[in-house]
Amino acid sequence: PPRPKKKVAKASEIPIEPKRDTGTIRQARDGMRIKVAFWLQRQGRKASEVKLTKVAKADGDEPPDIESIVDAVMAELDWGSLVDLVEPDLLAASAEGADIGIGDLSITDQDVINAVNSVARDYASNRAAEMVGMKRVDGELVPNPNAEMRIDESTRNMVRQSIKEAFEAETKVSDLAAVIRESKAFSPARAELIAENEVRQAQIRGNLASWEASGVVEEFRWQMSADHTCCDICDEFAEGGPYPLKEAEQMLDETHPLCACILVATKIK
């Protein structure tokens, strides 16, 4: 017999709100913030223990080799250990987003629900690795040259800036340990930003998965958040549209960290 049609709510517009704050989202965000803060603090201590006097290659009046120092620092950081720490919180957020979307569309087809939850799980697993420049191949973490929104690259940039400023202030190579340990790269404030951004994105992607799997959302518009400041690509997105749903993933990939703009489904079968 033919399969029953998917049941969805009759609604003219349904939003995906990045700043929607549920108990599950708060718990995921707080959990990730604490874990990332602890991890960054531990990695900052490890990085500050690198023997930099020889690495710097300074000779007489020659300036220290900043890139060699940065390379030595980054080599000490155990990026793989962060993946398993954050994956459960990313999964909680993406699954919550999926549940929100399922509820908004009143999806009752169990096959669709299972497909949405599978996408949410895959997102959490893939993103946990991607955020540190890795991917999973046959269950193993390997470098991913195509990873986007990587915190390992931003860490390198922050460490480089801290060292550069230290040398501009005539800090000795032997005194760099404290500079590295206290760099913003390893700060609690950075852990908070990482957790906020990653949990927000996970919730969005889970919610979007429900739209895609439902087969009933055809178009959406981009609505800028109330706290948006001019001007960036979000302004362009908001001026255009409506967009076919298939463009949503790419558009989300192009936005800035902590984007709070809202996707609004405008054409639903």
Side-chain angles (χ1 to χ4, degrees):
R3 295 175 60 85
K5 293 184 177 180
K6 307 176 184 74
K7 296 180 181 179
V8 300
K10 296 292 185 180
S12 57
E13 293 190 342
I14 296 176
I16 291 179
E17 301 179 67
K19 295 181 73 174
R20 185 178 294 191
D21 206 19
T22 68
T24 299
I25 293 297
R26 287 192 297 273
Q27 186 174 5
R29 184 175 58 239
D30 290 345
M32 188 170 180
R33 173 182 55 80
I34 292 168
K35 293 172 188 175
V36 173
F38 175 77
W39 186 89
L40 287 175
Q41 182 185 52
R42 184 173 56 190
Q43 300 305 311
R45 286 199 303 266
K46 286 179 60 177
S48 69
E49 293 169 359
V50 176
K51 304 299 182 184
L52 297 174
T53 306
K54 293 182 179 180
V55 175
K57 302 177 183 177
D59 183 19
D61 294 331
E62 290 295 317
D65 186 343
I66 293 179
E67 272 319 301
S68 293
I69 297 175
V70 174
D71 287 343
V73 168
M74 294 299 292
E76 289 298 309
L77 307 187
D78 182 12
W79 294 106
S81 65
L82 183 60
V83 176
D84 289 339
L85 281 178
V86 301
E87 185 175 340
D89 298 310
L90 292 177
L91 176 55
S94 60
E96 179 73 352
D99 285 346
I100 290 170
I102 288 168
D104 286 344
L105 292 170
S106 296
I107 297 172
T108 58
D109 187 306
Q110 192 58 50
D111 287 345
V112 174
I113 293 172
N114 291 342
V116 172
N117 289 333
S118 178
V119 171
R121 287 193 299 271
D122 288 345
Y123 175 84
S125 177
N126 294 335
R127 181 56 195 161
E130 183 185 41
M131 67 183 283
V132 297
M134 297 183 178
K135 61 182 178 180
R136 298 182 192 274
V137 177
D138 297 328
E140 299 293 327
L141 288 171
V142 299
N144 179 6
N146 299 317
E148 299 182 353
M149 301 291 285
R150 301 168 53 164
I151 68 168
D152 59 325
E153 287 296 335
S154 54
T155 299
R156 172 181 285 274
N157 294 336
M158 290 180 179
V159 168
R160 180 189 294 111
Q161 185 63 29
S162 295
I163 293 171
K164 180 175 179 290
E165 292 174 356
F167 284 142
E168 288 174 350
E170 300 184 354
T171 302
K172 296 179 181 179
V173 173
S174 57
D175 295 332
L176 276 182
V179 171
I180 294 170
R181 187 170 56 251
E182 295 168 10
S183 170
K184 286 187 283 189
F186 306 112
S187 68
R190 185 170 184 232
E192 185 171 359
L193 289 175
I194 290 171
E196 176 67 39
N197 185 63
E198 293 295 338
V199 167
R200 186 178 292 184
Q201 284 297 316
Q203 182 248 315
I204 294 170
R205 301 305 174 119
N207 201 324
L208 180 60
S210 68
W211 284 12
E212 293 171 335
S214 72
V216 299
V217 178
E218 296 183 323
E219 292 181 350
F220 71 97
R221 63 182 172 84
W222 192 276
Q223 178 178 310
M224 287 192 295
S225 66
D227 54 2
H228 180 80
T229 57
C230 187
C231 295
D232 56 35
I233 197 168
C234 295
D235 296 84
E236 298 178 22
F237 290 163
E239 290 171 3
Y243 303 96
L245 184 61
K246 64 182 180 180
E247 294 185 13
E249 289 276 0
Q250 181 61 40
M251 292 171 70
L252 287 170
D253 287 343
E254 294 177 14
T255 58
H256 55 84
L258 297 177
C259 179
C261 291
I262 300 168
L263 278 63
V264 182
T266 56
K267 186 176 181 181
I268 301 173
K269 291 180 183 178

